Amino acid sequence: MNYDIRYLTSYRYAAPVTDNLNALRVRPATTSNQRCDEFHVRLDPEARTTRHADYFGTEVVEFGVARPHDHLTIDVRARVVTNDPPEPPEAPWEHLEGDTYAEAAGEFLLAGDDEPTDDALADLLAIARARTPLATVRWLDELIPDRFAYRPGVTYVGSTIDDLLRAGAGVCQDFVHLALVLLRRNGIAARYVSGYLFSAPEDGGTDSVEVQTHAWLEALLPGTGGRGEPIWVGADPTNRRLAGETHVKIGHGRRYADVPPIKGVYRGDAGAELEASVQMTRLDPAASARA
């Protein structure tokens, strides 16, 4: 699929602020199934940008506005080509063992500092494991949205898995954080993915839709044929399916805090009003999904 993406963010400050420093993680990645052909960032007030890859390989665009200003507009535009990934490998659990898998998994097998205890997750852990690692990923794509309602406004970006368990509802970020824990505790390396999802209405709708930034995960599945190389496979528990050509990846990390779209600070006591929107336009036919 071919997509034109516009990510527009505007801040209005109650009084002038200074030394406004920001880091953007909004550029679509280039992977084996995705290519970013164009990418531009326009700023108002104008500022010089620098770029680098972070620890996990995501491109970071940094800039600062030193002089006093009462607004900041970040206008991001990208052109991306995506393809459906190949069929994931259906290898047995035994293929998780060995140095090849452990080396590829790295820190994506490690537990986080604020994860729930096994007791808090006991009922989910008891049924989270399926016949194979791939079957487990597919099963969690169904289990999590069956157990928890998709309900914006119940949680926020700083919410924990315990918050999701108490509320019984959350959004894509919460679903992914829970899935990561369940996968890792079953020995499957998993990472958080930030990106965009083209979510056309079920009836076909329009070729241009307003969406939000989206979250899904990638699980490291063992290869087939004994010593086959492990493969990262995307899965979207919010939409009950594996990730495909309607998913546009920005980057990945161990959790949301590793890949926030925008992170910044400024000097001043004024509060800020935020408006943000993502417009995705498909340049050829695409499937439907929910963001």
Side-chain angles (χ1 to χ4, degrees):
M1 293 295 155
N2 292 268
Y3 296 107
D4 184 83
I5 301 171
R6 185 185 189 190
Y7 184 7
L8 182 63
T9 305
S10 298
Y11 295 91
R12 293 286 175 181
Y13 304 103
V17 300
T18 60
D19 296 331
N20 199 335
L21 307 176
N22 292 268
L24 312 179
R25 288 173 173 83
V26 292
R27 177 178 181 140
T30 292
T31 69
S32 59
N33 302 307
Q34 176 179 300
R35 186 181 72 246
C36 182
D37 288 337
E38 297 179 25
F39 178 75
H40 307 283
V41 177
R42 292 183 179 178
L43 303 170
D44 181 20
E46 293 184 351
R48 180 181 178 181
T49 62
T50 61
R51 301 183 185 186
H52 70 273
D54 68 14
Y55 173 78
F56 296 105
T58 305
E59 180 171 294
V60 182
V61 179
E62 293 183 328
F63 67 90
V65 181
R67 61 189 181 278
H69 55 285
D70 61 6
H71 70 280
L72 174 64
T73 300
I74 304 168
D75 190 352
V76 176
R77 296 173 186 256
R79 185 69 63 86
V80 186
V81 180
T82 65
N83 294 289
D84 271 330
E87 190 68 20
E90 185 82 45
W93 284 101
E94 306 87 79
H95 286 197
L96 291 177
E97 302 169 1
D99 295 339
T100 299
Y101 187 84
E103 183 176 349
E107 64 261 62
F108 297 109
L109 268 177
L110 301 178
D113 294 333
D114 59 352
E115 292 181 1
T117 63
D118 283 349
D119 288 343
L121 294 173
D123 60 332
L124 290 170
L125 287 171
I127 59 174
R129 188 181 178 101
R131 182 177 55 86
T132 65
L134 174 59
T136 299
V137 172
R138 292 185 184 276
W139 167 230
L140 290 180
D141 270 351
E142 298 289 344
L143 175 62
I144 291 174
D146 279 347
R147 289 292 187 94
F148 300 92
Y150 180 86
R151 192 178 305 148
V154 176
T155 57
Y156 66 103
V157 294
S159 292
T160 65
I161 297 172
D162 284 320
D163 295 327
L164 172 65
L165 297 177
R166 282 192 293 268
V171 292
C172 57
Q173 172 185 313
D174 307 300
F175 289 8
V176 171
H177 280 155
L178 176 58
L180 294 177
V181 172
L182 296 175
L183 288 169
R184 289 169 184 164
R185 293 192 189 180
N186 276 287
I188 301 174
R191 60 196 189 189
Y192 184 103
V193 179
S194 175
Y196 309 108
L197 174 66
F198 185 80
S199 50
E202 295 293 341
D203 60 2
T206 177
D207 287 332
S208 185
V209 294
E210 185 169 330
V211 300
Q212 295 179 331
T213 53
H214 188 54
W216 60 98
L217 65 91
E218 289 176 342
L220 186 63
L221 298 182
T224 56
R227 294 181 177 272
E229 289 295 321
I231 298 173
W232 289 102
V233 174
D236 186 348
T238 304
N239 288 291
R240 300 174 179 265
R241 63 184 179 87
L242 299 183
E245 62 184 355
T246 55
H247 292 77
V248 176
K249 178 179 178 178
I250 293 173
H252 63 257
R254 280 184 42 79
R255 54 179 301 160
Y256 168 81
D258 295 326
V259 281
I262 300 177
K263 187 175 183 179
V265 295
Y266 59 82
R267 188 186 302 274
D269 296 328
E273 293 184 3
L274 167 65
E275 293 185 3
S277 64
V278 181
Q279 194 76 24
M280 291 188 72
T281 302
R282 62 183 176 189
L283 307 179
D284 46 19
S288 298
R290 184 182 70 181

Coordinates of all heavy atoms in Angstrom, one line a residue, residues 7 9 11 20-26 60-63 72 74 256-266:
Y7 N 1.0 14.5 10.1 CA 0.8 14.5 11.6 C 1.0 16.0 12.0 O 2.1 16.5 12.0 CB 1.9 13.6 12.2 CG 1.8 13.4 13.7 CD1 0.8 13.9 14.4 CD2 2.8 12.7 14.4 CE1 0.7 13.8 15.8 CE2 2.8 12.6 15.7 CZ 1.7 13.1 16.5 OH 1.7 12.9 17.8
T9 N 0.6 18.9 14.9 CA 0.6 19.1 16.4 C 0.7 20.6 16.6 O 1.6 21.2 16.1 CB 1.7 18.3 17.1 OG1 1.6 16.9 16.8 CG2 1.5 18.5 18.6
Y11 N 0.6 23.6 19.8 CA 0.6 24.0 21.2 C 0.3 25.5 21.3 O 0.9 26.3 20.5 CB 1.9 23.7 21.9 CG 2.3 22.3 22.0 CD1 3.1 21.7 21.0 CD2 1.9 21.5 23.1 CE1 3.4 20.4 21.1 CE2 2.3 20.2 23.2 CZ 3.1 19.6 22.2 OH 3.4 18.3 22.3
N20 N 12.3 26.0 24.5 CA 11.4 24.9 24.2 C 12.1 23.8 23.4 O 12.4 23.9 22.2 CB 10.2 25.4 23.4 CG 9.0 24.5 23.4 OD1 9.1 23.3 23.7 ND2 7.8 25.1 23.2
L21 N 12.5 22.7 24.1 CA 13.3 21.7 23.6 C 12.4 20.4 23.3 O 11.7 20.0 24.2 CB 14.4 21.3 24.5 CG 15.3 22.5 25.0 CD1 16.3 22.0 26.0 CD2 16.0 23.1 23.8
N22 N 12.5 19.9 22.1 CA 11.6 18.7 21.8 C 12.3 17.6 21.0 O 13.3 17.9 20.3 CB 10.5 19.2 20.9 CG 9.5 20.1 21.6 OD1 8.5 19.7 22.2 ND2 9.8 21.4 21.7
A23 N 11.9 16.4 21.2 CA 12.4 15.3 20.5 C 11.2 14.6 19.9 O 10.2 14.2 20.5 CB 13.1 14.3 21.4
L24 N 11.2 14.4 18.5 CA 10.1 13.8 17.8 C 10.5 12.4 17.3 O 11.6 12.2 16.8 CB 9.8 14.6 16.5 CG 9.6 16.1 16.7 CD1 9.3 16.7 15.4 CD2 8.5 16.4 17.7
R25 N 9.6 11.4 17.6 CA 9.8 10.1 17.0 C 8.5 9.9 16.1 O 7.6 9.3 16.6 CB 9.9 9.0 18.1 CG 11.3 9.1 18.8 CD 11.3 8.1 20.0 NE 12.6 8.0 20.5 CZ 13.1 8.8 21.4 NH1 12.4 9.9 21.8 NH2 14.3 8.7 21.9
V26 N 8.6 10.4 14.9 CA 7.4 10.4 14.0 C 7.7 9.9 12.6 O 6.8 9.7 11.8 CB 6.8 11.8 14.0 CG1 6.1 12.2 15.3 CG2 7.8 12.9 13.6
V60 N 15.2 10.0 15.6 CA 14.8 11.1 16.5 C 15.1 12.4 15.9 O 16.2 12.6 15.5 CB 15.4 11.0 17.9 CG1 14.9 12.1 18.8 CG2 15.2 9.6 18.5
V61 N 14.1 13.3 15.7 CA 14.3 14.6 15.2 C 14.2 15.6 16.4 O 13.2 15.6 17.1 CB 13.2 15.0 14.2 CG1 13.4 16.5 13.7 CG2 13.2 14.1 13.0
E62 N 15.3 16.3 16.7 CA 15.4 17.2 17.8 C 15.5 18.7 17.4 O 16.1 19.0 16.3 CB 16.6 16.9 18.7 CG 16.5 15.5 19.4 CD 17.7 15.2 20.3 OE1 18.8 15.7 20.0 OE2 17.4 14.5 21.3
F63 N 14.9 19.6 18.2 CA 15.0 21.0 17.9 C 14.7 21.8 19.1 O 14.1 21.2 20.1 CB 14.0 21.4 16.8 CG 12.5 21.3 17.2 CD1 11.9 22.4 17.8 CD2 11.8 20.1 17.0 CE1 10.5 22.3 18.1 CE2 10.5 20.1 17.4 CZ 9.8 21.1 17.9
L72 N 3.5 26.8 19.2 CA 4.4 25.9 18.5 C 3.6 25.0 17.6 O 2.7 24.3 18.1 CB 5.2 25.1 19.5 CG 6.2 24.1 18.9 CD1 7.2 24.7 18.0 CD2 6.8 23.2 20.0
I74 N 4.0 21.9 14.9 CA 4.9 20.8 14.3 C 4.1 20.1 13.2 O 3.1 19.5 13.4 CB 5.3 19.8 15.4 CG1 6.0 20.5 16.5 CG2 6.2 18.8 14.7 CD1 6.2 19.6 17.7
Y256 N 6.1 1.9 26.0 CA 5.7 3.2 25.4 C 6.8 4.3 25.6 O 7.1 5.1 24.7 CB 4.3 3.7 25.9 CG 4.0 5.1 25.6 CD1 3.5 5.4 24.3 CD2 4.3 6.1 26.5 CE1 3.3 6.8 24.0 CE2 4.0 7.5 26.2 CZ 3.5 7.8 24.9 OH 3.3 9.1 24.6
A257 N 7.3 4.3 26.8 CA 8.2 5.4 27.2 C 9.5 5.4 26.3 O 10.1 6.5 26.2 CB 8.6 5.3 28.7
D258 N 9.7 4.4 25.6 CA 10.9 4.3 24.7 C 10.6 4.9 23.4 O 11.6 5.3 22.6 CB 11.4 2.9 24.5 CG 11.9 2.2 25.8 OD1 12.5 2.9 26.6 OD2 11.7 1.0 25.9
V259 N 9.3 5.1 23.0 CA 9.0 5.6 21.6 C 7.8 6.6 21.7 O 6.9 6.5 20.8 CB 8.7 4.5 20.6 CG1 10.0 3.8 20.1 CG2 7.8 3.4 21.3
P260 N 7.8 7.6 22.6 CA 6.7 8.6 22.5 C 6.9 9.4 21.3 O 8.0 9.8 20.9 CB 7.0 9.4 23.8 CG 8.4 9.3 24.0 CD 8.8 7.9 23.6
P261 N 5.7 9.7 20.6 CA 5.8 10.5 19.4 C 6.5 11.9 19.6 O 7.3 12.3 18.8 CB 4.4 10.7 18.9 CG 3.7 9.5 19.6 CD 4.4 9.3 20.9
I262 N 6.1 12.6 20.7 CA 6.7 13.9 21.0 C 7.0 13.9 22.5 O 6.2 13.6 23.3 CB 5.7 15.0 20.6 CG1 5.4 15.0 19.1 CG2 6.3 16.4 21.0 CD1 4.4 16.0 18.7
K263 N 8.2 14.4 22.8 CA 8.6 14.6 24.2 C 9.3 15.9 24.3 O 10.3 16.1 23.5 CB 9.4 13.4 24.6 CG 9.8 13.5 26.1 CD 10.5 12.2 26.5 CE 10.8 12.2 28.0 NZ 11.5 10.9 28.4
G264 N 8.9 16.8 25.2 CA 9.6 18.0 25.3 C 9.4 18.8 26.6 O 8.6 18.4 27.4
V265 N 10.2 19.8 26.8 CA 10.2 20.7 28.0 C 10.3 22.1 27.5 O 10.9 22.4 26.4 CB 11.3 20.3 29.0 CG1 11.1 18.9 29.6 CG2 12.7 20.4 28.4
Y266 N 9.8 23.1 28.3 CA 10.1 24.5 28.0 C 10.2 25.2 29.3 O 9.9 24.7 30.4 CB 8.9 25.0 27.2 CG 7.6 25.0 27.8 CD1 7.1 25.9 28.7 CD2 6.7 24.0 27.5 CE1 5.9 25.9 29.3 CE2 5.4 23.9 28.0 CZ 5.0 24.9 28.9 OH 3.7 24.8 29.5

